[in-house]
Amino acid sequence: MAKTEKVVLAYSGGLDTSVAVKWLIEKGYEVICYMADVGQGADTEKSRRRALEIGASKCIVEDLRKEFVTEYAFAALKAGTLYQGKYNLATALSRPVIADAMLDAAKKEKADYVAHGCTGKGNDQVRFEVTFRIKAPGVKVLAPVREWELGTREEEVAYAKKHGIPVDQTRKKIYSVDRNLWGTSVEGGRLEDPWCEAPADTYITVAQTGKAPAKAEYVRVTFKKGVPVAVNGRKYGPVQLVRRLNRIGGKHGVGRVDMIEDRLVGIKSREIYEAPASEILYAAHTAIEELVLDRETRRYKKGVSERYSEIVYYGLWFTPLKKALDAFVDKTQENVSGEVKLKLYKGKVAVTGRKSPHSRYKIELATYGKGDIFDQSLARGFIDLWAMPYRR
Ligand code: ARG
């Protein structure tokens, strides 16, 4: 008899991956579940027990939160990157960190295969598998959800019931929700109609504007070389800092995005995102860069930010270009230290003040009041030369 082949499956405890455990077992594999904690706030212990009940031989749970925040989310923040100028890439950033850690687990377990529960229509399959190919070129990949005969959600539920897999009666059934510390993605259900206003039950970590407090709240964020290190003057580790700002921002209705997104696989999809901490941090980070970066670096970096977003979105995290852009970004962050003051009110974040020891703002040049040392007589010659190429 041939030996049973081992699969390490990226497992979340949701319907797709729970059914995938059973499906793989039925196909004759030994299944080891791999659960990464990236701050999804789910009950990992419950999911772990479920995996074992379904028949997994093991369920590994690993806390990747710190690595995820410092090496992925904060790298994106430093780069100022937003896909289509809106999406902070929370889901996209989580895939390479999970895939990479999974490969380590697969190696330790001497597994023959790695597997994920992504569909064939999304970006996540690409992000997982590109990481697998780059980091472990020889590894064999299974994608049950892409391959199985369960065409609809109803068929999946029926399969689950038939095999005694518990199905949660939650909103996750209506929407496809992917959550981590850096943000929450919501898609499907009524959101598939681009004209349909996002229903109240799509608000997961962020308060609806109408329910946000009637009183504004100020928050101060301190940066050191582009990385947030303190809130309201109090130092926090990366995970705690993001959690703290998620709470404050969420309460004030900050960080919702409603957009039509261009997926890598060529389709457009309607997406709702929630990322309160990220929205506050992006606003603050931009504000301090405005203060400390010279004009040309700031402008050039915008192009880098856009390119960076595509790299992350397209699953190309572990590539030479990404590394090279990180080197550029890190160089630009050397002076991005200081403090920003922001006001949160009814879904809006407004920067109200910024300061830095590396500020390039010079009051003696900017002022229209006393103490002005700007030599206005220079302006005329400057303008003559500036216009020269265009004169006839
Ligand atoms: N469209 C987003 C992205 O490609 C979010 C994907 C959400 N994933 C999910 N399994 N619900 O990054």
Side-chain angles (χ1 to χ4, degrees), residues 213-288:
K215 194 169 172 289
E217 181 171 348
Y218 284 88
V219 56
R220 285 177 294 118
V221 181
T222 310
F223 286 89
K224 209 169 162 185
K225 295 192 192 296
V227 174
V229 293
V231 173
N232 294 331
R234 189 168 153 202
K235 279 207 164 77
Y236 288 94
V239 171
Q240 292 312 322
L241 184 137
V242 172
R243 287 174 56 130
R244 177 90 212 276
L245 289 178
N246 271 335
R247 259 198 311 278
I248 302 176
K251 182 172 83 185
H252 286 278
V254 162
R256 283 273 293 192
V257 171
D258 179 339
M259 69 186 283
I260 299 294
E261 178 173 297
D262 286 307
R263 285 197 190 163
L264 182 54
V265 294
I267 58 176
K268 286 193 185 288
S269 66
R270 162 74 168 301
E271 304 283 339
I272 296 291
Y273 294 115
E274 293 188 343
S278 163
E279 178 149 341
I280 295 169
L281 290 171
Y282 268 74
H285 184 260
T286 305
I288 203 136

Side-chain angles (χ1 to χ4, degrees), residues 11 13-15 17-23 25 47-56 163-166:
Y11 169 80
L15 179 67
T17 53
S18 298
V19 169
V21 174
K22 190 73 197 175
W23 190 85
I25 293 169
S47 303
R48 199 184 68 84
R49 274 201 310 271
R50 172 180 301 182
L52 299 177
E53 270 163 37
I54 300 169
H163 291 93
I165 301 166

Side-chain angles (χ1 to χ4, degrees), residues 87 91-92 95 123-124 127 176-178 185 187 261 263 269 271 273 313:
Y87 167 36
T91 295
R95 297 321 187 205
N123 303 304
D124 288 332
R127 298 166 185 151
S176 167
V177 178
D178 181 70
S185 309
E187 32 181 58
E261 178 173 297
R263 285 197 190 163
S269 66
E271 304 283 339
Y273 294 115
Y313 192 83

Side-chain angles (χ1 to χ4, degrees), residues 320-384:
L321 179 56
K322 145 76 176 53
K323 272 205 196 88
L325 294 186
D326 272 338
F328 168 79
V329 169
D330 281 339
K331 187 75 192 163
T332 65
Q333 299 301 292
E334 281 174 354
N335 289 333
V336 183
S337 304
E339 198 174 26
V340 180
K341 197 165 50 168
L342 310 102
K343 186 176 178 174
L344 315 182
Y345 179 66
K346 294 273 183 200
K348 288 238 169 357
V349 182
V351 170
T352 59
R354 67 291 274 161
K355 62 180 177 189
S356 166
H358 307 292
S359 171
R360 286 177 182 272
Y361 179 84
K362 295 194 174 72
I363 186 75
E364 64 279 19
L365 292 176
T367 184
Y368 287 98
K370 268 235 277 284
D372 181 11
I373 60 160
F374 190 105
D375 183 352
Q376 298 196 29
S377 70
L378 295 174
R380 188 187 167 127
F382 166 73
I383 295 164
D384 282 345

